């Protein structure tokens, strides 16, 4: 076994590899860019080398810097992770030339599988089933059009060098073909520097089922069963699971053997994945009717490898290191077994409600579910970030992977839902809520999997508010009270802005929910109970507010106030809520989901309104109680001018600057609308 390896990657996969290396007693060297100087993967390794600027082309793609770092630190081997240089045959060769072991397949295998068209020609010879299509070298547009017409529409045009869901165009009608071809070629040239394409029949409602394979340098090759990665957005995976629902031992064996044949055809060594597209014929009622076709082979460890680790109980990075060090595969095909069911969810910094646009920002709160790492446990959480880290625009938007394992799919699903509920991220948009809706959708719950799942279930997936507004406001109000009680020894109602009226204390709050203004009034009754009214008029919700508070498991140093777990009862709803305040924004997490409301500081905003160009306006609808000044009076900044009452609370309106009162526009007792000008002040 190696004594020291260099990990030529970042983020979660660099941390993942480092964890296994540490367990095996192998020292690790991290490489990092400017943006990653303080990154978790740097801390996870024994040594680190700076390799350049933040953009990947200035660091993680700079082989020379990486090879220099390996030489300088005495690393014997290089693990490329996934992405970046992992499927670059020139880098694999350069490692060998520098006397380093590349922890991956031979450069020739990477090359053979690197171009989708070429790999299909090879697979054809190896009798691996292919999607009906054209993968020839002749790229004459007229010929490509004829081939598309022959295959029959819809067809899919794919960049031969494509990857990551890029460089693909579906075409429904022959008359659209040439335009789609041009646009696909443009994208391919821009993204990959090569515009060769292939054409495939566009399989309707297909499933993506892939086989994990492993080869060694002694001629052994096995398959570690399948993963279903059908739940995709923009041809990119979102949820992955193993085994594939509906799979039979016979079909598994046929697909596994086809994958091993594919690997053997290119002399494969190490971890690889053969991706198949699986057709479910109309009205199909038996898995044996599923037809599978080779799509591509990924010649590296895959993002979703943990689900395979969960069901086999194996550490695939350990296998990679052993094979790269020249050992034989630890197990034979007949020794491999499937235990239970595993599902992975990719947690990404992105906004699902806005076309999954990537998000950047700081992880102000980053609370993970209770978990174990790198073992076959019920919940595993793989990440490369820590609370306080910044998600920068330079790299992938994937923040973490949540992997659950259960005796059955049903149990794994329940664990996934629960673990997602315990994943609290504040500071940037993530897909955590979206993942929960996806996991709970009828299609996913019932394992009706295909690549159109997200589109089919969109009504249940996007723009959802799993927490009611009154409940979110109640949680925010309760959190404020708990904060105050924690900070003071006295009852909050005896101070601050409570207003006593008819033997009741009343306190007024205001929230913003999107564009809506939501007032809330808290009444402190004779018996010591709290009565909360959220909203006004016909939409008002009133009820007893009952809660108890416990400090939340981990306090975030960055959020303004320490979080509390609140057991809360309000208006017929009972929930455990955790609230994080970020300035005025309350992030409320409950087992049902999360919601944000903005708490408006009424007094501060009354001041804001008053300062606008000498106009003095009502901060809220209410009644003018009194004026403290008369027209013509000279006033000093901060001097009280008028008193207003709204929702049984008084507000004093103070002079925003020195000046002269020129006119009073209302009389005591008048009702005024929000924003109404109360008096005029000529600044001095
Ligand atoms: P799969 O492994 O299932 O094919 P992807 O194609 O999404 O999944 O995985 C490869 C992608 O991961 C690359 O395209 C790259 O953008 C991204 N990637 C590469 N390195 C990292 C990293 N260290 N952390 C997160 N994402 C990465
Ligand atoms: P990439 O290199 O970007 O991963 P793939 O060839 O693996 O490209 O395809 C990515 C995804 O696109 C697949 O997982 C599948 O959802 C979809 N796809 C690919 N080929 C077809 C096809 N012939 N018909 C329908 N969908 C396809
Ligand atoms: Mg693929």
């Amino acid at each position: 076994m190696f004594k020291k390896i260099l990990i030529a990657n970042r983020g979660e996969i660099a941390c993942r590899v480092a964890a296994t290396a540490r367990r095996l007693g192998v020292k690790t060297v991290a490489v990092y860019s400017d943006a990653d100087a303080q990154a978790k993967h740097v801390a996870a390794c024994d040594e680190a080398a700076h390799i350049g600027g933040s953009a990947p082309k200035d660091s993680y793609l700079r082989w020379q810097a990486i090879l220099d770092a390996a030489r300088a630190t005495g690393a014997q081997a290089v693990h490329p992770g996934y992405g970046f240089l992992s499927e670059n045959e020139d880098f694999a060769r350069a490692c060998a030339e520098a006397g380093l072991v590349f922890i991956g397949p031979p450069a020739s295998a990477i090359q053979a599988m690197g171009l989708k068209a070429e790999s299909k020609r090879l697979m054809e010879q190896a009798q691996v089933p292919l999607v009906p299509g054209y993968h020839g070298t002749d790229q004459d547009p007229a010929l490509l059009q004829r081939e598309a017409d022959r295959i029959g529409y819809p067809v899919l045009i794919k960049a031969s060098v494509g990857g990551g869901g890029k460089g693909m165009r579906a075409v429904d009608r022959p008359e659209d073909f040439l335009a789609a071809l041009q646009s696909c070629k443009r994208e391919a040239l821009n993204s990959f520097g090569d515009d060769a394409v292939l054409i495939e029949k566009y399989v309707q409602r297909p499933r993506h089922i892939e086989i994990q394979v492993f080869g060694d340098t002694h001629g052994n090759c096995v398959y570690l069963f399948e993963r279903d990665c059908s739940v995709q957005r923009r041809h990119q995976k979102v949820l992955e699971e193993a085994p594939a629902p509906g799979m039979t031992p016979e079909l598994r064996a046929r697909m596994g053997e086809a994958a091993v044949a594919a690997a053997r055809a290119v002399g494969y060594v190490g971890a690889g994945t053969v991706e198949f597209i699986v057709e479910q014929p109309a009205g199909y009622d038996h898995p044996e009717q599923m037809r599978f076709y080779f799509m591509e082979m990924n010649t590296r460890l895959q993002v979703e490898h943990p689900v395979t680790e969960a069901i086999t109980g194996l550490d695939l990075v350990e296998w990679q290191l052993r094979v790269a060090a020249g050992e034989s595969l630890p197990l034979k095909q007949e020794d491999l077994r499937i235990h239970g069911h595993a599902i992975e969810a990719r947690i990404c910094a992105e906004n699902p409600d806005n076309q999954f646009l990537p998000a950047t920002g700081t992880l102000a709160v980053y609370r993970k579910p209770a978990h174990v790492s790198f073992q076959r446990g019920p919940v595993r959480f793989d990440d490369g970030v820590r609370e306080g880290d910044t998600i920068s625009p330079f790299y992938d938007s994937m923040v973490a992977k949540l992997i659950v394992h259960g005796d059955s799919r049903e149990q794994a699903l329940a664990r996934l839902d629960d673990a997602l509920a315990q994943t609290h991220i504040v500071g940037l948009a993530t897909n955590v809520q979206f993942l929960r809706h996806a996991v709970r959708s009828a299609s996913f719950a019932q394992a009706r999997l295909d690549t159109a799942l997200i589109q089919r279930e969109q009504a249940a997936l996007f723009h959802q508010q799993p927490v009611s507004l009154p409940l979110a406001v109640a949680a925010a109000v309760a959190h404020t009270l708990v904060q105050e009680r924690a900070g003071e020894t006295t009852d909050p109602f005896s101070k601050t802005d409570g207003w006593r009226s008819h033997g009741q204390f009343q306190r007024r709050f205001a929230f913003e929910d999107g564009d809506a203004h939501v007032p809330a009034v808290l009444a402190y009754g004779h018996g010591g109970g709290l009565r909360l009214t959220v909203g006004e008029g016909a939409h008002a919700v009133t009820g007893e507010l009952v809660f108890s508070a416990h400090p939340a498991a981990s306090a975030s140093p960055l959020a303004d106030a320490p979080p509390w777990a609140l057991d809360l009862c309000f208006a017929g709803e009972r929930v455990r809520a955790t609230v994080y305040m970020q300035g005025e924004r309350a992030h409320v997490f409950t087992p049902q989901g999360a919601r944000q409301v903005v708490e408006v500081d009424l007094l501060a905003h009354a001041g804001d309104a008053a300062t606008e160009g000498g106009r003095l306006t009502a901060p809220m609808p209410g009644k003018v109680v009194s004026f403290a000044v008369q027209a013509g009076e000279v006033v000093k900044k901060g001097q009280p001018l008028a008193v207003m009452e709204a929702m049984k609370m008084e507000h004093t309106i103070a002079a925003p600057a020195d000046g002269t009162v020129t006119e009073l526009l209302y009389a005591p007792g008048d009702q005024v609308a929000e924003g109404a000008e109360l008096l005029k002040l000529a600044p001095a």
Side-chain angles (χ1 to χ4, degrees):
M1 182 50 66
F2 308 111
K3 294 202 163 29
K4 192 190 271 190
I5 63 170
L6 181 141
I7 303 170
N9 212 303
R10 63 178 303 280
E12 69 88 16
I13 192 62
C15 295
R16 163 73 192 88
V17 173
T20 290
R22 186 171 298 274
R23 190 171 60 73
L24 298 178
V26 176
K27 294 272 184 249
T28 50
V29 181
V31 291
Y32 63 94
S33 66
D34 289 344
D36 281 338
Q38 307 299 322
K40 183 177 175 182
H41 80 271
V42 174
C45 292
D46 298 298
E47 287 173 67
H50 177 244
I51 50 165
S54 300
K57 70 170 178 24
D58 298 327
S59 48
Y60 299 106
L61 293 175
R62 280 183 67 209
W63 334 336
Q64 207 46 59
I66 292 169
L67 296 178
D68 288 348
R71 200 172 300 113
T73 53
Q76 300 160 290
V78 175
H79 195 303
Y82 53 72
F84 298 132
L85 296 170
S86 61
E87 294 181 277
N88 186 318
E89 70 255 25
D90 296 329
F91 178 67
R93 262 188 216 105
C95 284
E97 281 158 18
L100 294 160
V101 176
F102 177 77
I103 303 173
S108 56
I110 300 179
Q111 185 165 19
M113 289 298 186
L115 295 177
K116 288 186 207 288
E118 219 165 287
S119 68
K120 292 206 156 156
R121 295 196 281 273
L122 276 171
M123 291 304 106
E124 204 162 34
Q125 286 162 25
Q127 299 188 334
V128 177
L130 297 184
V131 193
Y134 171 80
H135 43 260
T137 45
D138 190 340
Q139 293 285 309
D140 171 29
L143 173 100
L144 293 175
Q145 167 99 59
R146 275 199 306 281
E147 286 296 333
D149 295 349
R150 175 186 62 80
I151 295 161
Y153 294 85
V155 297
L156 191 62
I157 310 174
K158 274 189 197 178
S160 185
V161 272
K166 267 199 180 154
M168 281 197 262
R169 292 288 183 286
V171 188
D172 291 330
R173 307 177 307 169
E175 55 269 41
D176 300 333
F177 182 82
L178 286 175
L181 176 67
Q182 273 179 5
S183 117
C184 183
K185 278 184 176 286
R186 253 196 320 272
E187 181 174 313
L189 200 59
N190 285 336
S191 306
F192 311 108
D194 181 339
D195 71 354
V197 298
L198 59 94
I199 299 166
E200 283 178 1
K201 175 181 160 204
Y202 191 81
V203 180
Q204 304 284 337
R205 290 201 160 193
R207 284 172 72 172
H208 172 121
I209 300 180
E210 58 187 32
I211 305 284
Q212 175 72 55
V213 294
F214 237 106
D216 65 18
T217 49
H218 307 277
N220 302 303
C221 191
V222 300
Y223 59 91
L224 298 167
F225 316 114
E226 77 281 1
R227 296 183 284 257
D228 189 310
C229 312
S230 300
V231 184
Q232 302 181 347
R233 53 139 173 84
R234 292 209 225 107
H235 302 298
Q236 287 171 356
K237 299 158 188 168
V238 176
L239 291 164
E240 300 112 333
E241 60 185 295
M247 183 60 93
T248 61
E250 294 72 29
L251 183 59
R252 176 174 294 129
R254 279 202 286 137
M255 290 183 74
E257 279 152 24
V260 166
R264 285 195 186 282
V266 295
Y268 204 79
V269 174
T273 295
V274 181
E275 295 189 332
F276 293 103
I277 191 147
V278 178
E279 190 167 26
Q280 312 180 85
Y284 103 112
D285 54 7
H286 195 272
E288 292 306 310
Q289 294 170 322
M290 298 203 294
R291 278 195 293 270
F292 64 92
Y293 307 108
F294 172 87
M295 216 164 17
E296 64 165 345
M297 180 169 189
N298 292 326
T299 53
R300 55 178 160 88
L301 193 67
Q302 203 105 340
V303 172
E304 58 274 20
H305 75 276
V307 292
T308 299
E309 296 186 317
I311 61 156
T312 58
L314 302 170
D315 179 334
L316 298 195
V317 174
E318 175 179 347
W319 277 40
Q320 284 191 298
L321 296 183
R322 292 197 182 286
V323 165
E327 294 179 29
S328 298
L329 289 179
L331 294 173
K332 302 221 170 321
Q333 190 67 55
E334 56 272 26
D335 301 326
L336 292 161
R337 295 276 179 285
I338 295 177
H339 308 274
H341 198 95
I343 310 175
E344 173 180 279
R346 297 192 190 193
I347 297 174
C348 298
E350 64 186 18
N351 186 351
D353 289 339
N354 187 8
Q355 273 120 50
F356 296 98
L357 213 68
T360 55
T362 298
L363 295 164
V365 172
Y366 181 61
R367 240 190 78 189
K368 313 176 206 183
H371 66 279
V372 290
S373 275
F374 309 127
Q375 285 163 28
R376 180 142 63 86
V379 179
R380 164 173 166 180
F381 202 88
D382 281 19
D383 63 8
V385 292
R386 294 167 297 201
E387 196 162 71
D389 282 359
T390 300
I391 304 298
S392 70
F394 301 112
Y395 313 112
D396 204 86
S397 62
M398 195 172 77
V399 174
K401 306 186 300 199
L402 172 58
I403 306 101
V404 294
H405 184 249
D407 294 335
S408 61
R409 186 174 193 268
E410 198 186 359
Q411 190 180 57
L413 265 175
R415 285 186 168 146
L416 182 55
D417 189 51
D418 184 50
L420 283 168
Q422 293 178 50
T423 305
H424 297 175
I425 301 178
V426 172
L428 41 70
T430 72
N431 64 343
V432 172
Q433 296 301 313
F434 170 82
L435 288 170
R436 289 200 73 196
H437 298 310
V439 165
R440 290 174 161 207
S441 69
S443 294
F444 194 73
Q446 295 161 16
R448 283 187 277 120
L449 305 177
D450 60 72
T451 59
L453 186 144
I454 287 178
Q455 206 197 338
R456 178 166 71 247
E457 291 282 359
Q458 56 182 319
L461 300 184
F462 299 104
H463 301 287
Q464 300 296 304
Q465 280 294 14
V467 179
S468 76
L469 179 63
L471 194 68
V473 166
V477 167
H479 184 263
T480 301
L481 300 182
V482 170
Q483 282 301 130
E484 289 173 351
R485 279 179 202 171
E488 299 155 13
T489 46
T490 55
D491 180 335
F493 296 99
S494 61
K495 60 143 283 207
T496 66
D497 43 358
W499 172 257
R500 193 179 181 120
S501 149
H502 314 298
Q504 273 202 330
F505 289 113
Q506 297 244 5
R507 183 164 172 191
R508 189 168 172 273
F509 296 84
F511 292 89
E512 273 164 16
D513 177 52
D515 292 336
H517 174 78
V518 184
V521 180
L522 188 68
Y524 191 65
H526 293 292
L530 295 171
R531 211 167 164 73
L532 180 68
T533 302
V534 179
E536 52 196 342
H539 299 295
V541 174
T542 298
E544 285 299 303
L545 176 64
V546 180
F547 61 91
S548 58
H550 331 273
S554 80
S556 160
L558 288 172
D560 293 352
W564 295 89
L566 302 164
D567 282 308
L568 189 83
C569 261
F570 176 63
E573 293 187 272
R574 173 181 203 101
V575 79
R576 168 161 288 195
T578 307
V579 181
Y580 305 88
M581 290 303 300
Q582 227 200 348
E584 295 188 319
R585 192 172 290 270
H587 298 262
V588 180
F589 289 86
T590 77
Q592 283 72 51
R595 185 166 188 149
Q596 304 176 17
V597 284
V598 175
E599 189 174 347
V600 184
D601 184 334
L602 288 170
L603 299 176
H605 283 257
D608 288 353
T611 50
E612 282 168 18
R615 274 162 50 97
L616 286 155
T617 55
M620 73 293 248
K623 195 170 78 176
V624 177
V625 176
S626 63
F627 282 103
V629 291
Q630 292 177 352
E633 214 173 296
V634 176
V635 296
K636 289 252 167 258
K637 182 180 177 187
Q639 183 178 333
L641 302 178
V643 177
M644 268 193 69
E645 182 193 281
M647 301 181 88
K648 301 209 172 85
M649 274 192 53
E650 273 192 6
H651 293 278
T652 300
I653 289 136
D658 295 354
T660 306
V661 175
T662 54
E663 197 182 354
L664 303 184
L665 299 169
Y666 287 95
D670 283 351
Q671 287 290 330
V672 294
E674 181 175 351
E677 198 174 354
L678 299 177
L679 48 81
K680 283 191 152 79
L681 180 74

